Amino acid sequence: MAPEKEIWDSGLQSERTRLAWVRTAVALCTGGLGAAGLSLRQGLPLPAVAAFALAALCGSVLLIRTGVRWRRVQEALHGGRPLEPGIDVFFAWLGTLSVVAGALTFVFVVR
């Protein structure tokens, strides 16, 4: 069997990629909402709450775009084309940076 045929598993790569994006999106949504609620209850400054809320929003956008992203991955894999990262990577980075900003605010205020 040719090496290319051994590693190809008829579409499961895109399923694993989709699940990874869903895990990232759910972590941003739930973590952002939970941290925003905790920040509100602890009386932290509004920038901390806003940062965590932005992370939750970014996770929501990623979760909503799951179907579109999956179709793009499928088309790229089966068409032999590279996949452009698109706007989804921007939202993932923005959400992650928002969590970092909120966490830093939380750490420096709550000491």
Side-chain angles (χ1 to χ4, degrees):
M1 184 179 292
E4 308 86 46
K5 296 292 183 184
E6 291 176 10
I7 60 171
W8 184 257
D9 58 2
S10 302
L12 293 180
Q13 296 95 336
S14 58
E15 292 299 321
R16 287 190 298 269
T17 302
R18 183 179 188 173
L19 288 173
W21 278 101
V22 167
R23 282 191 305 267
T24 301
V26 168
L28 282 173
C29 284
T30 58
L33 285 175
L38 179 64
S39 298
L40 279 173
R41 283 192 302 276
Q42 294 298 320
L44 289 180
L46 189 59
V49 178
F52 290 130
L54 179 61
L57 178 66
C58 288
S60 300
V61 169
L62 288 175
L63 200 55
I64 290 168
R65 289 188 41 82
T66 298
V68 172
R69 188 175 36 260
W70 180 77
R71 280 190 291 280
R72 280 193 350 216
V73 169
Q74 279 289 95
E75 290 168 2
L77 276 174
H78 293 288
R81 296 183 316 274
L83 181 65
E84 295 96 26
I87 197 159
D88 298 323
V89 173
F90 170 75
F91 280 110
W93 272 105
L94 181 62
T96 303
L97 291 176
S98 298
V99 168
V100 169
L104 285 174
T105 305
F106 189 83
V107 166
F108 288 124
V109 171
V110 173
R111 286 194 219 186

